[in-house]
């Protein structure tokens, strides 16, 4: 046993995260259902695509699959309450079964639009769609006990096996967009059938290691993770969502095979991301060009790609790394993503979503871009979340990660339970029912308690942002030693641990190699990264400078709209001037009160400038 | 009389600018002659283009024309010494005369390559080439007294008159690339013939004011100055070289017609450029996209277009504005351009040239760009000057502006002589021989003297960078009043004025609306803008911060390679760190000695990082 306590064994208690869980369940999931109905995504899977239908896309099956997977998690938690979703899915599944070809092939786009192009181009997302449908099918089987969907998908996998492995009839060997690898490991884990592991490993081992795969994706082979095979992988490269799905698949293989070489390579990749290629919000993907990782320390803020799917995929990768080894760094990254980029992906209304999550908006630059010929424009991300987009991979991905959000809270291994995330919940672990209480972001004070714990120790992750904390066991201070970022507390069957994390407003800086952030600082409080918005602080936010010592006397308050806390602080706004150039000794600042809001809540009050990395005075 | 004292009446004395004048004469002009021979530019005009010839370009005649114009200025100053150039030009002129069509048409490209396309597309530079050839012909007639070239070009102008004005047979009305307007005013001024003024005004008045002109140039109509007519012009827009040639032509018209409305519009445009759209180096053109002006305060440093031809065209515009009115601002801009962007256009060797003159080079970003698919790359300027380029408009433009460089020094009007630029020289003005001596950039101490001055006053421009100065007349301090940036000194026939401009190292800032320079300062000393180069200060120059007060104790020294002075100063370099994000209170600086060199001398010691706008500590 070495895994997270599954979402179905954990119930969230009242608080910020239960609100967000419910927002996903009650608003986002039905909103996306409606948009997917509008845009023909479900119609595609009903195989009723006709002349008057909206245009189909090659990746629509994956959108439907992710939404169904999300719904499965709701059904698992509340089958009676979610009956309408189960019925909706059953109808879709009947259609899939009905239209699946005799050889097992199933893809709504290729069967209806391009049946002569099946398995002809690796960049056309067929295996990616199959992978997502497979994940949906497993989740659906686990939630309902019904196996129709899963059987359909097993036949799809047989079809893939025949075409790619047994008979090698497909026009390529590995998928252009990775995903099926980790889905196959999930099927292997669920069924125990070696064949699926063999398939996953076939796709992994052949990647970057064969002459047949060509890609039409820009910047190939690096852009498509084809430049190097998994045994020589050292750096994070190319399309960042695809890369993180690949690394997750490799981690599954490393775990399944206990392959030290692969683990060492994943460690390199992890290090490359978190120490050189990650935004402070936990996002990755520095450029829209190929939606990809670039080079170390290249972290532009305004043109950041930072796709919502990256946030999700990075949590998936960190969860797998945590299974490989007990180290607090994985929970730290998950926490960083959760409180920043994952939350920013969705509007506070729950109905609109970001594809990209930039760290700066300067509306004046948008004006400059719009004055240009469209073909000459730089890529600036959208400034407002949308209800649906053409390539709408993120919204249903958000649905499914929130659907099983409780997965992240506790980890079980042979030794004990480890608290990974400080989220109020009841955790029905293998070692007893453990309750987590407190308001982490309010005051850093949490209690972890149990009445029936049957292990000697319980392990607590100490977040890396916290320099001082105290631990009380049953009201008495205990001396604890930190190892790999955790403290282990020796407990009885019945215990109450109180842990008090010192939570302070703190300005953080970047490595000096990050050009974009030279001379700039970001305000943080615990895991929450803050930003300035124009709606609170006026436009042209680069006029503003901060004295980092002011953080000590900042006012932290529940702001009433983000669900968390905003911060007010003295700052300095440069005075306007008519001159273009003048003496630096004439720099004039006006003292102002700055209002920082949690980064994730930006762009919820109309179009506005936004800035994370503020100039230091 | 209201004009600059012409270059042929002024002789430079020993010093920095004579060295640069001679570098142009002795190195740059023959170097470009050789490159133009290599690349088939002269061959084109010899009409010997054949199957094995280098590819012709539509704008080659303008390159040849500008070089011939430059040579004419040398011939004017030293006919015997420059005989080889006169012979070379005479042969080219013979070829032009021989191949000019009976209707007067002359263009080496269209006659040899595309005779069916004559006057069919306004973006194909025919009128631009004709304008430059006309300027060359006037200069050549003035230099040699020979009129063959000028007669050829008068016939070309007749051909243009017939096609564009009399018979309206051309497929467009106004040129895609302005230049012919100011050339025609020059011909009008030289010959006094009204027809040429009429032609110039025809092209000016119809611009932005007709439905026939369409352009293939990006961002039209604004990008090609077709969005607004000259009577409604308020802002600088579009391709920046073309725009400045247009504004120069409008200024010629405003002067010729004494048109107050046009003058008011030129004042608006001037204000828009110098107060909102000009780099500190005097350059303009913020983007390579359409090589153009963008919006106010958009002055990116690394991707600055800032074409060398803009520096030259901006001097041309400022000279004309000076003719319109006496104000020191025009000489200030000329001086800013001269000491910075004009000089930076040429290598210290004299053999290589910049098309673009960026204000920052970060080689790490170049690496990032080069890792990208070519079609996905941002445009970063070249990092080293080249001997010749495909579109080699700048090098011969540099030749010709240096060939008549002495034009900028003094201005004569009815009242008196005005010293515009403090450059050691003997000025044979209408009011007597005036000598200018001193080393302006060394210590700011200049003397202006005469033995035969026949006006009551002499006027001295006070540079805007100077806050304190003293004026001595014949050894005695005089109280002077500054008006429109000038002081007027009452002098006798024989006088010696000593003027002492306080010259200090000074950090300058940008308007807070300039996003690119937020929190940054540029070091200046008098008109000279400084930069840091990697070769002196290590790479990643954004690690460096300065305390502006250190400027007071800076060490200024003759550096032995730029011809001017470099500056050493205490600065701060951020210490490297392995972490990507850490507490701002842990920022660690190492004290270093920074070496600033004059901006213009960057990229003369190999590829290197370069930075003008340095972070303020």
């Amino acid at each position: 046993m070495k895994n997270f306590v599954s979402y179905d064994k954990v119930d969230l208690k009242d608080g910020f995260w239960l609100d967000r869980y419910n927002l996903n369940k009650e608003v986002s999931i039905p909103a996306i259902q409606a948009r997917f109905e509008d845009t023909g995504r479900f119609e595609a899977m009903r195989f009723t695509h006709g002349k008057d239908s909206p245009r189909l896309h090659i990746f629509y099956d994956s959108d439907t699959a992710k939404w169904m997977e999300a719904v499965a998690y709701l059904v698992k938690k509340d089958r009676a309450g979610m009956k309408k979703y189960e019925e909706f899915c059953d109808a879709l599944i009947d259609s899939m079964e009905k239209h699946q070809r005799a050889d097992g092939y199933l893809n709504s786009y290729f069967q209806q639009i391009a049946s002569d192009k099946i398995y002809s181009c690796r960049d056309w997302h067929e295996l990616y769609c199959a992978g997502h449908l497979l994940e949906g099918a497993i989740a659906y089987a686990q939630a309902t006990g019904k196996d129709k969907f899963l059987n359909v998908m097993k036949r799809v996998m047989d079809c893939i096996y025949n075409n790619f492995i047994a008979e090698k009839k497909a026009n390529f060997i590995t998928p252009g967009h990775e995903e099926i690898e980790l889905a196959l490991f999930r099927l292997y884990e669920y069924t125990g059938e070696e064949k699926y592991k063999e398939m996953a490993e076939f796709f992994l081992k052949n990647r970057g290691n064969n002459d047949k795969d060509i890609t039409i994706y820009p910047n190939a082979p690096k852009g498509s993770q084809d430049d190097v095979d998994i045994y020589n992988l050292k750096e994070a490269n190319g399309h960042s969502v695809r890369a993180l799905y690949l690394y997750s698949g490799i981690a599954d293989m490393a775990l399944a095979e206990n392959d030290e070489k692969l683990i060492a390579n994943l460690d390199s990749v992890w290090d490359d991301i978190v120490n050189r290629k990650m935004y402070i919000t936990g996002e990755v993907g520095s450029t829209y060009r190929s939606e990809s990782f670039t080079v170390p320390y290249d972290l532009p803020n305004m043109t950041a790609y930072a796709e919502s799917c990256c946030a999700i995929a990075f949590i998936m990768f960190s969860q797998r790394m945590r299974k490989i080894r007990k180290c607090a760094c994985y929970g730290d990254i998950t926490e960083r993503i959760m409180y920043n980029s994952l939350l920013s992906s969705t509007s506070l209304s729950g109905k609109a979503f970001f594809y990209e999550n930039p760290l700066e908006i300067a509306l004046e630059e948008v004006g400059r871009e719009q004055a240009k010929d469209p073909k000459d424009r730089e890529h600036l991300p959208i400034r407002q979340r949308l209800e649906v987009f053409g390539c709408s991979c993120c919204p249903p991905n958000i649905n499914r990660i929130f659907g099983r959000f409780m997965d992240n809270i506790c980890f079980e291994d042979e030794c004990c339970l480890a608290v990974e995330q400080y989220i109020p919940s009841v955790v029905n672990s293998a070692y007893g029912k453990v309750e987590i209480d407190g308001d982490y972001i309010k005051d850093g004070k949490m209690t972890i308690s149990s009445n029936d714990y049957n292990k000697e120790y319980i392990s607590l992750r100490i977040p890396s942002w916290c320099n001082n904390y105290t631990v009380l066991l049953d009201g008495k201070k205990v001396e604890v030693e930190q190892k790999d970022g955790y403290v282990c507390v020796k407990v009885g069957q019945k215990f109450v641990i109180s842990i008090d994390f010192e939570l302070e407003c703190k300005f953080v800086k970047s490595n000096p190699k990050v050009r974009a952030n030279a001379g700039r600082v970001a305000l943080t409080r615990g895991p929450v990264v803050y930003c300035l918005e124009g709606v609170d602080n006026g436009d042209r936010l680069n006029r503003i400078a901060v004295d980092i010592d002011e953080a000590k006397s900042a006012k932290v308050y529940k702001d009433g709209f983000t669900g968390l806390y905003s911060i007010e602080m003295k700052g300095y706004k440069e005075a306007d001037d008519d001159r273009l150039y003048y003496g630096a000794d004439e720099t004039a600042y006006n003292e102002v009160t700055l209002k920082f809001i949690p980064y994730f809540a930006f762009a919820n009050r109309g179009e506005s400038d936004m800035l994370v990395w503020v100039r230091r005075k």
Side-chain angles (χ1 to χ4, degrees), chain A:
Chain A
M1 179 201 300
K2 217 175 172 184
N3 209 341
F4 288 89
V5 181
S6 177
Y7 73 96
D8 56 300
K9 301 208 175 72
V10 182
D11 294 305
L12 294 175
K13 294 191 183 185
D14 278 353
F16 178 77
W17 287 107
L18 180 59
D19 291 344
R20 295 297 297 212
Y21 176 83
N22 285 333
L23 187 74
N24 181 60
K25 177 177 168 181
E26 289 156 20
V27 179
S28 303
I29 284 181
I32 292 170
Q33 182 183 27
R35 296 294 78 72
F36 281 8
E37 200 63 83
D38 301 340
T39 53
R41 280 162 166 90
F42 293 135
E43 187 185 284
M45 199 53 109
R46 295 187 196 110
F47 286 77
T48 50
H49 180 76
K51 271 193 178 157
D52 298 329
S53 303
R55 193 182 149 215
L56 286 196
H57 282 286
I58 50 174
F59 41 68
Y60 271 8
D61 287 0
S62 64
D63 292 346
T64 298
K66 281 184 277 188
W67 183 85
M68 290 174 78
E69 183 183 338
V71 158
Y73 300 135
L74 303 191
V75 170
K76 177 77 179 174
K77 296 289 283 187
D78 175 16
R79 193 158 182 187
M82 298 292 119
K83 199 166 170 54
K84 61 174 177 181
Y85 288 129
E86 189 173 339
E87 286 169 2
F88 185 89
C89 288
D90 280 343
L92 283 177
I93 292 162
D94 287 344
S95 172
M96 289 186 217
E97 187 186 47
K98 182 175 161 198
H99 293 96
Q100 184 168 34
R101 290 197 330 197
D103 67 351
Y105 187 83
L106 178 69
N107 182 299
S108 73
Y109 180 88
F110 285 90
Q111 286 177 256
Q112 294 178 88
I113 303 287
S115 59
D116 57 328
K117 300 271 171 41
I118 285 170
Y119 298 148
S120 67
C121 176
R122 77 191 287 253
D123 290 306
W124 288 350
H125 293 57
E126 281 166 289
L127 300 186
Y128 167 79
C129 286
H132 271 305
L133 283 167
L134 176 57
E135 284 207 86
I138 298 165
Y140 202 73
Q142 288 174 315
T144 62
K146 296 191 278 198
D147 58 7
K148 189 186 281 185
F149 191 7
L150 188 62
N151 287 334
V152 165
M153 291 315 301
K154 282 181 174 174
R155 288 196 295 275
V156 171
M157 294 304 129
D158 290 342
C159 174
I160 290 170
Y161 186 89
N162 291 337
N163 278 277
F164 285 82
I165 301 177
E167 301 170 27
K168 301 194 190 305
K169 290 189 295 188
N171 206 23
F172 54 95
I173 299 175
T174 65
H177 194 315
E178 299 93 326
E179 207 285 337
I180 196 168
E181 303 86 350
L182 67 89
L184 281 162
F185 272 113
R186 191 166 171 183
L187 182 60
Y188 165 64
E189 197 182 325
Y190 184 63
T191 63
E193 287 179 47
E194 290 286 331
K195 177 182 177 179
Y196 303 122
K197 178 158 80 82
E198 181 198 339
M199 286 177 75
E201 294 188 3
F202 172 85
F203 291 125
L204 290 170
K205 287 178 180 169
N206 279 290
R207 186 158 210 101
N209 207 6
N210 76 82
D211 295 328
K212 195 174 176 189
D213 283 343
I214 52 154
T215 190
I216 54 173
Y217 203 75
N219 296 341
K222 199 179 257 188
S224 46
Q225 293 86 40
D226 292 319
D227 54 325
V228 68
D229 68 44
I230 61 171
Y231 294 104
N232 288 290
L233 186 68
K234 297 285 170 215
E235 296 168 354
N237 274 317
H239 187 291
S240 41
V241 178
R242 300 179 189 193
L244 287 162
Y245 285 167
L246 173 66
Y247 309 148
S248 297
I250 297 170
D252 286 335
M253 178 172 165
L255 277 163
E257 305 293 356
N258 197 20
D259 187 323
E260 291 296 330
K261 173 70 181 151
L262 290 183
I263 291 173
N265 290 358
L266 291 170
D267 288 343
S268 287
V269 167
W270 177 273
D271 174 64
D272 190 40
I273 298 174
V274 302
N275 291 319
R276 287 180 284 283
K277 297 178 179 170
M278 180 185 72
Y279 287 97
I280 191 171
T281 56
E283 267 292 0
V284 298
S286 297
T287 177
Y288 86 99
R289 298 180 180 98
S290 318
E291 312 188 345
S292 74
F293 286 107
T294 60
V295 294
Y297 306 108
D298 179 25
L299 295 163
N301 294 303
M302 200 160 56
T303 57
Y305 199 67
E307 184 183 336
S308 299
C309 283
C310 285
I312 293 163
F314 198 6
I315 289 180
M316 289 163 60
F317 182 35
S318 69
Q319 285 175 327
R320 283 161 174 84
M321 291 304 291
R322 175 63 180 87
K323 289 203 232 176
I324 288 173
R325 103 165 45 79
K326 184 173 183 177
C327 176
C329 65
Y330 307 119
D332 267 334
I333 292 296
T334 296
E335 182 179 274
R336 184 188 287 272
I337 297 168
M338 275 171 21
Y339 281 97
N340 301 294
S341 53
L342 177 63
L343 285 175
S344 89
S345 69
T346 308
S347 68
L348 296 174
S349 73
K351 287 184 183 167
F353 308 92
F354 271 140
Y355 194 104
E356 295 131 290
N357 296 270
L359 280 82
E360 178 175 11
I361 293 175
L363 292 176
E364 55 187 332
E365 295 290 339
V366 176
R368 284 164 200 175
E369 279 305 303
Q370 286 175 346
K372 285 174 190 153
D373 206 67
K375 73 177 168 50
D376 282 335
R377 287 183 194 162
E378 245 299 3
H379 178 87
L380 295 177
I382 51 169
R383 280 94 54 203
Q384 291 285 284
R385 295 170 185 85
L386 300 177
E387 294 197 3
V388 69
F389 0 108
C391 180
S392 217
C393 49
C394 305
N397 222 356
I398 294 162
N399 286 164
R400 70 178 186 138
I401 197 161
F402 273 105
R404 61 190 283 187
F405 184 75
M406 302 74 88
D407 261 0
N408 297 289
I409 297 174
C410 281
F411 194 92
E412 294 164 330
D413 63 18
E414 304 75 12
C415 156
C416 65
L417 188 78
V419 178
E420 292 289 316
Q421 301 300 337
Y422 293 92
I423 293 174
S425 52
V426 180
V427 180
N428 297 294
S429 83
Y431 305 138
K433 183 163 101 174
V434 173
E435 302 206 32
I436 303 173
D437 294 282
D439 194 339
Y440 189 55
I441 297 300
K442 181 180 175 201
D443 53 18
K445 295 186 205 305
M446 301 299 298
T447 62
I448 293 97
S449 61
S450 181
N451 289 318
D452 60 355
Y453 192 69
N454 58 27
K455 278 278 179 179
E456 201 176 351
Y457 290 95
I458 187 162
S459 209
L460 308 170
R461 183 180 66 88
I462 306 302
S464 63
W465 54 260
C466 181
N467 292 321
N468 294 303
Y469 56 93
T470 53
V471 181
L472 274 65
L473 177 63
D474 301 327
K476 280 180 222 152
K477 189 166 178 190
V478 285
E479 289 307 314
V480 287
E481 203 180 317
Q482 199 169 321
K483 189 174 172 248
D484 299 326
Y486 291 85
V487 295
C488 252
V489 184
K490 190 169 181 178
V491 291
Q493 187 186 319
K494 212 176 140 170
F495 68 86
V496 178
I497 293 173
S498 304
I499 184 158
D500 185 353
F501 298 112
E502 189 183 272
L503 195 60
E504 52 178 6
C505 294
K506 183 177 176 176
F507 280 106
V508 166
K509 71 181 298 301
S510 298
N511 189 296
K513 289 180 180 165
V514 182
R515 265 186 90 247
N517 299 341
R520 292 172 182 269
V521 290
L523 182 63
T524 63
R525 185 167 170 275
V528 181
V529 174
Y530 283 79
C531 71
L532 294 173
E533 256 202 319
V535 63
D536 299 312
N537 301 288
D539 63 357
R540 295 192 288 115
L541 297 166
N542 278 296
R543 277 184 296 175
I544 290 171
V546 292
D547 172 352
I548 64 166
D549 291 335
E550 291 294 336
K552 292 187 192 77
S553 42
K555 177 185 154 198
V556 179
Y557 63 100
K558 189 110 184 176
D559 54 47
F561 90 103
T562 70
L564 289 181
Y565 298 83
S566 287
I567 297 174
E568 281 183 9
M569 181 185 307
K570 190 162 87 180
Y572 304 88
K573 189 181 276 193
E574 215 178 318
D576 278 339
D577 202 290
D578 289 334
R579 295 168 293 176
L580 185 51
Y581 301 111
Y582 49 102
D585 53 352
E586 297 175 66
T587 311
Y589 281 106
N590 297 317
E591 246 183 65
V592 290
T593 299
L594 299 177
K595 179 174 171 182
F596 289 87
I597 63 164
Y599 162 76
F600 72 80
F602 83 95
N604 275 287
R605 294 170 292 166
E607 280 210 0
S608 185
D609 284 346
M610 183 274 287
L611 189 67
V612 170
W613 290 100
V614 184
R615 279 205 291 135
R616 189 169 177 171
K617 189 163 185 284

